[in-house]
Amino acid sequence: MVAPSLKLQDLIEEIRGAKTQAQEREVIQKECAHIRASFRDGDPVHRHRQLAKLLYVHMLGYPAHFGQMECLKLIASSRFTDKRVGYLGAMLLLDERHDAHLLITNSIKNDLSQGIQPVQGLALCTLSTMGSAEMCRDLAPEVEKLLLQPSPYVRKKAILTAVHMIRKVPELSSVFLPPCVHLLHERHHGILLGTITLITELCERSPAALRHFRKVVPQLVQILRTLVTTGYSTEHSISGVSDPFLQVQILRLLRILGRNHEESSETMNDLLAQVATNTDTSRNAGNAVLFETVLTIMDIRSAAGLRVLAVNILGRFLLNSDRNIRYVALTSLLRLVQSDHSAVQRHRPTVVDCLQETDASLSRRALELSLALVNSSNVRAMMQELQAFLESCPPDLRADCASGILLAAERFAPTKRWHIDTILHVLTTAGTHVRDDAVANLTQLIGGAQELHAYSVRRLYNALAEDISQQPLVQVAAWCIGEYGDLLLEGNCEEIEPLQVDKEEVLALLEKVLQSHMSLPATRGYALTALMKLSTRLQGDNNRIRQVVSIYRSCLDVELQQRAVEYDTLFRKYEHMRAAILEKMPLVERDGPQADEEAKESKAAAQLSEAAPAPTEPQASQLLDLLDLLDGASGDAQHPPPLHPSPGGALVYLLDLPCAPPPPAPIPDLKVFEREGVQLNLSFIRPPENPALLLITATATNSSEGDVTDFICQAAVPKSLQLQLQAPSGNTVPARGGLPITQLFRILNPNKAPLRLKLRLTYNHFHQSVQEIFEVNNLPVESWQ
């Protein structure tokens, strides 16, 4: 005998009483079978009860798609109980992805035309929840008529439905412009709040609407002034703040209307000052109104004194006990630091104190703002604070802090010695977290400061003697000792305490670096080269250096083995050339006039080498023996003709100084996405030392009037390639060309396979969630061939 169908209340009790998930599924399967049978029988009396049970099953996560057509039947019914459940089912079971949702358009149109307010409310709620673009276009005239209905209940729901229609179909803005002006005179709270929201949506999506509503700025100012002074209604006051939700909505609308418009900004200046000074900040409601006021002041063309007042309000927020308010203040000050740098500088001590926050998000924001506040006048004091924070900051912030300190020191360093000391402190404290170019930058800085060579080599030697675990520090120290080891032994540096160092101690320290399990292969290469250069810098016997070099001739690391074999060949076969080959490296300038002078000198040297007489064959053969790194008894071997007309030219070829290959042609950038002002561009770099590696920088920009928030870019490549996504620079792209978001993709393509990218972008824009998935098949050929 088949069990009878349960009532909704009995079904809920039985499902809640199930002890296991299997029992719950069994109950639901039996009841769904009864519901299907009832739908097939076409029972019109109990159809709404069966659908109500199905909706409960749907809310538990079980499939309920077979009830979609029953929703349409109930909506078309003349009974209110049927319509109520039918519209609820439509909101839960139907959306734009199902064509069935278009079938209720006519029913909604008929219900909106009736004068029954509860039915009109149901139809408007359903339309504002799941109305597609086609439905919005078809039903816009009916909603427009309801905006001027005498019933506040219907008008309020019609306004919210109009907001949904504008978001779905922005070109419908012309339909709702005329009623909005009349609705601003309403005293009903819900209608006025909805009208402000509707006008905001219209202004964000239509330039014509923006120009139209700038005429009502005085009226909006008067409404807000009334709220601040006399209040709107006591039932809408929160914590002593008169209707904060309405105040916030009006302030947002004023911010949009006053942006880049002098006359509108002038009209609201006095009111904004009044709100900023009279709002109670002891409760969150007042803080919300005050923060919105600050954003409005900063976004419009406000007076200079008003902008200073806004920055001071954010400074007071930094002293608030609520972490959320402090985070909002730090984020806002970070956006203002470029436009109002001097005003933000006044709150620098408070910002620095926020570095000690235990909350990781707060300390990260405080770090970003502290680095943005560094300038030439406060660089010494700020660097002391940031270096102290670097010693105690969490590991996930250490890389950002170290990179920020290095960039600020490079930009605002008062002296070269201070710059060197700062970088050394960072390398000593957080050497493993610095950027890859920190070693090259410091070696270039030390090489260019000839008066600080002795000071630098002694500082680095002392640091290396204390700790050999920080690999960038060890690499710089090894390079400096190899270049200026003679100054280390002379001991004539008066700027630091005298230190007696002998040759054996220096060699022992470099051998310790070579033998340490913490040393990377690149670090061992630095140490081995330093030992080799010390063979010409230091006086005395070089047997110890030769023994160390010969040991690494059989090293498993190919790069280190090659160096050792080359250096050992210099000792055995080219002793007379060793001093010239291992002389101090010339200063390398990346840009500037010195680079032009070096280019001229290289050109002159090339002309002299062309005019020089050809060398004898034995000399050329000996140099080629060194280049080929063959065994020493290959004197009778056949060699190709000399590549250079002179021994000097062959030596230059050995060191690869002026004969470096020309840089590869730049790969053109590619625009892969654009929608409503949001644009994504890709730029490409293939490092010459690793042609299989492609570095893609994705840059997201925003030229629209609304901020892009929660921006996430994800990528995928074919299985034959390897992809590594670096962390993006942020997740918010400010409006009107603000600071873009950048993200680095590292793609390894050893087989040079054709490159294809699949990108997924998710973000929020104009209060809407956007998700785009697309393939990029038109990548430049230079990026993978």
Side-chain angles (χ1 to χ4, degrees):
M1 182 176 178
V2 180
S5 177
L6 299 174
K7 295 181 180 180
L8 176 60
Q9 184 176 357
D10 297 336
L11 176 63
I12 294 174
E13 291 179 356
E14 190 163 346
I15 290 176
R16 289 181 176 177
K19 296 182 179 180
T20 63
Q21 192 172 8
Q23 292 180 358
E24 178 182 306
R25 285 197 299 265
E26 183 180 357
V27 173
I28 290 176
Q29 288 173 0
K30 290 181 180 179
E31 194 58 35
C32 285
H34 285 298
I35 294 173
R36 284 192 179 94
S38 177
F39 287 162
R40 284 196 303 268
D41 296 341
D43 183 9
V45 178
H46 299 97
R47 181 181 288 133
H48 67 280
R49 296 182 182 177
Q50 302 296 340
L51 184 61
K53 291 190 290 184
L54 186 62
L55 294 180
Y56 178 72
V57 171
H58 169 74
M59 288 188 290
L60 294 179
Y62 293 92
H65 58 277
F66 58 89
Q68 293 176 354
M69 297 308 297
E70 301 303 317
C71 296
L72 304 181
K73 296 177 183 178
L74 290 176
I75 291 173
S77 174
S78 59
R79 297 168 49 186
F80 178 75
T81 54
D82 289 346
K83 284 184 177 293
R84 180 176 59 181
V85 179
Y87 275 123
L88 177 60
M91 286 186 277
L92 292 176
L93 301 180
L94 297 178
D95 55 30
E96 297 181 31
R97 295 172 295 179
H98 303 96
D99 294 336
H101 81 279
L102 297 174
L103 300 177
I104 65 173
T105 303
N106 192 50
S107 298
I108 292 178
K109 185 175 183 179
N110 293 333
D111 290 340
L112 292 178
S113 302
Q114 296 180 4
I116 305 174
Q117 294 183 14
V119 175
Q120 290 176 330
L122 290 174
L124 289 171
C125 286
T126 304
L127 181 58
S128 63
T129 301
M130 46 76 65
S132 61
E134 293 83 357
M135 295 176 64
C136 292
R137 291 189 183 96
D138 295 337
L139 299 174
E142 280 70 23
V143 176
E144 180 193 7
K145 295 176 184 177
L146 295 179
L147 289 175
L148 301 178
Q149 285 287 324
S151 170
Y153 173 80
V154 176
R155 271 189 293 171
K156 179 173 63 174
K157 291 185 178 296
I159 291 171
L160 297 178
T161 306
V163 171
H164 173 78
M165 287 183 167
I166 293 300
R167 291 173 178 172
K168 281 291 181 183
V169 190
E171 56 264 26
L172 292 177
S173 57
S174 59
V175 176
F176 300 105
L177 279 180
C180 289
V181 179
H182 299 286
L183 292 171
L184 279 177
H185 297 281
E186 287 289 336
R187 293 291 299 170
H188 188 277
H189 176 267
I191 295 178
L192 185 56
L193 183 59
T195 302
I196 298 297
T197 305
L198 177 57
I199 295 176
T200 303
E201 294 293 335
L202 289 169
C203 294
E204 286 181 342
R205 286 167 171 76
S206 172
L210 182 61
R211 292 190 297 269
H212 176 80
F213 285 110
R214 275 175 176 157
K215 301 175 184 177
V216 301
V217 169
Q219 185 178 351
L220 294 170
V221 168
Q222 184 58 40
I223 295 173
L224 185 56
R225 181 175 281 113
T226 303
L227 279 173
V228 174
T229 55
T230 62
Y232 188 85
S233 175
T234 55
E235 61 179 326
H236 298 110
S237 297
I238 300 176
S239 302
V241 180
S242 176
D243 204 343
F245 291 100
L246 185 56
Q247 287 194 53
V248 166
Q249 284 297 104
I250 294 176
L251 287 168
R252 287 179 181 172
L253 179 55
L254 290 176
R255 180 163 75 249
I256 296 173
L257 295 174
R259 187 178 296 153
N260 300 324
H261 195 260
E262 190 70 37
E263 183 180 353
S264 300
S265 301
E266 184 66 27
T267 305
M268 60 184 78
N269 269 341
D270 294 339
L271 173 66
L272 294 175
Q274 183 179 359
V275 175
T277 53
N278 295 337
T279 302
D280 182 20
T281 59
S282 59
R283 300 295 178 90
N284 268 348
N287 289 326
V289 174
L290 207 54
F291 176 65
E292 204 65 39
T293 305
V294 169
L295 295 182
T296 304
I297 291 172
M298 291 304 176
D299 227 12
I300 67 172
R301 296 184 177 180
S302 55
L306 201 58
R307 299 180 70 86
V308 173
L309 175 62
V311 174
N312 292 337
I313 291 173
L314 294 176
R316 293 203 306 270
F317 280 176
L318 291 177
L319 303 175
N320 198 292
S321 58
D322 192 323
R323 292 180 178 179
N324 294 324
I325 295 177
R326 295 202 299 274
Y327 181 84
V328 165
L330 289 170
T331 305
S332 303
L333 288 172
L334 187 59
R335 293 177 56 185
L336 300 175
V337 71
Q338 299 299 330
S339 58
D340 299 270
H341 189 81
S342 59
V344 180
Q345 278 285 356
R346 299 172 186 170
H347 304 281
R348 180 163 50 89
T350 310
V351 174
V352 172
D353 291 340
C354 292
L355 289 172
Q356 307 304 324
E357 290 281 355
T358 56
D359 190 292
S361 58
L362 280 174
S363 55
R364 181 178 295 277
R365 278 286 182 259
L367 174 62
E368 294 172 356
L369 182 55
S370 299
L371 292 172
L373 289 175
V374 178
N375 56 26
S376 56
S377 61
N378 63 15
V379 61
R380 292 180 182 270
M382 287 297 295
M383 285 298 107
Q384 289 181 357
E385 298 287 351
L386 291 171
Q387 288 173 10
F389 173 69
L390 180 63
E391 296 177 357
S392 60
C393 71
D396 56 336
L397 290 180
R398 190 157 293 180
D400 294 335
C401 184
S403 299
I405 292 175
L406 294 180
L407 289 174
E410 184 177 359
R411 184 176 179 185
F412 302 109
T415 61
K416 288 187 176 181
R417 176 177 173 178
W418 181 91
H419 192 184
I420 293 173
D421 289 341
T422 302
I423 298 180
L424 288 182
H425 185 275
V426 172
L427 293 180
T428 305
T429 307
T432 57
H433 297 85
V434 299
R435 300 182 307 169
D436 295 338
D437 59 348
V439 174
N441 291 340
L442 182 54
T443 54
Q444 183 181 8
L445 176 64
I446 294 175
Q450 186 174 359
E451 68 280 4
L452 297 175
H453 286 172
Y455 172 77
S456 302
V457 71
R458 284 187 167 271
R459 283 290 310 273
L460 285 166
Y461 177 81
N462 293 334
L464 184 61
E466 294 178 1
D467 183 16
I468 62 171
S469 63
Q470 305 285 356
Q471 295 302 294
L473 174 67
V474 177
Q475 293 173 10
V476 176
W479 178 88
C480 199
I481 291 173
E483 292 293 322
Y484 314 115
D486 51 340
L487 302 178
L488 179 62
L489 298 184
E490 289 178 2
N492 57 357
C493 180
E494 301 177 356
E495 300 182 5
I496 58 177
E497 297 180 1
L499 178 67
Q500 296 297 329
V501 181
D502 58 18
K503 176 181 177 181
E504 296 301 321
E505 292 178 353
V506 176
L507 297 181
L509 183 57
L510 292 176
E511 289 182 26
K512 181 180 178 183
V513 172
L514 281 169
Q515 298 168 3
S516 173
H517 67 279
M518 296 181 290
S519 297
L520 299 174
T523 306
R524 290 191 173 96
Y526 275 96
L528 190 63
T529 303
L531 280 173
M532 193 63 189
K533 289 197 172 187
L534 287 178
S535 67
T536 62
R537 309 286 193 272
L538 307 181
Q539 303 296 328
D541 190 10
N542 292 324
N543 287 332
R544 182 173 181 176
I545 297 177
R546 296 185 65 171
Q547 291 176 2
V548 174
V549 169
S550 62
I551 291 174
Y552 285 89
R553 291 181 59 188
S554 57
C555 179
L556 295 178
D557 185 82
V558 177
E559 173 69 21
L560 201 59
Q561 183 189 63
Q562 180 180 351
R563 288 175 185 253
V565 171
E566 292 173 354
Y567 296 156
D568 186 66
T569 305
L570 279 178
F571 274 123
R572 290 188 295 106
K573 298 176 59 177
Y574 304 101
E575 181 68 23
H576 61 285
M577 298 173 55
R578 181 165 53 85
I581 293 177
L582 299 176
E583 64 182 6
K584 292 183 179 180
M585 291 184 63
L587 177 62
V588 178
E589 292 287 343
R590 295 181 180 177
D591 298 304
Q594 294 184 4
D596 297 334
E597 294 176 3
E598 290 179 0
K600 294 179 181 178
E601 293 175 0
S602 300
K603 185 177 180 180
Q607 293 175 352
L608 289 174
S609 63
E610 290 175 0
T616 60
E617 181 66 24
Q619 291 176 332
S621 299
Q622 290 176 359
L623 289 173
L624 289 171
D625 280 343
L626 177 60
L627 291 175
D628 293 339
L629 294 177
L630 299 175
D631 53 344
S634 58
D636 300 333
Q638 297 293 328
H639 297 287
L643 300 178
H644 295 273
S646 67
L651 180 59
V652 167
Y653 175 72
L654 171 65
L655 297 179
D656 283 336
L657 290 180
C659 300
I667 304 175
D669 296 348
L670 181 64
K671 180 172 72 174
V672 297
F673 175 77
E674 186 171 11
R675 171 177 171 176
E676 296 181 351
V678 181
Q679 186 173 316
L680 185 70
N681 295 320
L682 302 181
S683 58
F684 309 89
I685 297 178
R686 294 181 68 179
E689 65 274 8
N690 189 2
L693 178 64
L694 175 64
L695 304 178
I696 302 180
T697 303
T699 305
T701 58
N702 179 17
S703 59
S704 67
E705 297 296 327
D707 292 348
V708 172
T709 59
D710 300 329
F711 185 89
I712 299 176
C713 178
Q714 296 173 308
V717 295
K719 294 182 179 180
S720 60
L721 283 69
Q722 297 180 13
L723 171 65
Q724 180 183 7
L725 296 180
Q726 303 290 342
S729 60
N731 64 352
T732 300
V733 189
R736 303 182 307 283
L739 187 66
I741 292 177
T742 58
Q743 187 173 9
L744 182 64
F745 305 162
R746 298 171 60 92
I747 299 178
L748 192 61
N749 186 7
N751 300 324
K752 296 185 178 181
L755 181 59
R756 293 184 296 111
L757 272 178
K758 189 172 185 180
L759 298 177
R760 180 169 72 176
L761 306 180
T762 57
Y763 57 89
N764 292 325
H765 196 204
F766 293 131
H767 309 290
Q768 280 189 318
S769 179
V770 180
Q771 178 171 322
E772 293 285 347
I773 301 177
F774 54 93
E775 286 196 12
V776 183
N777 298 320
N778 59 338
L779 293 169
V781 179
E782 300 89 342
S783 64
W784 53 272
Q785 278 191 351

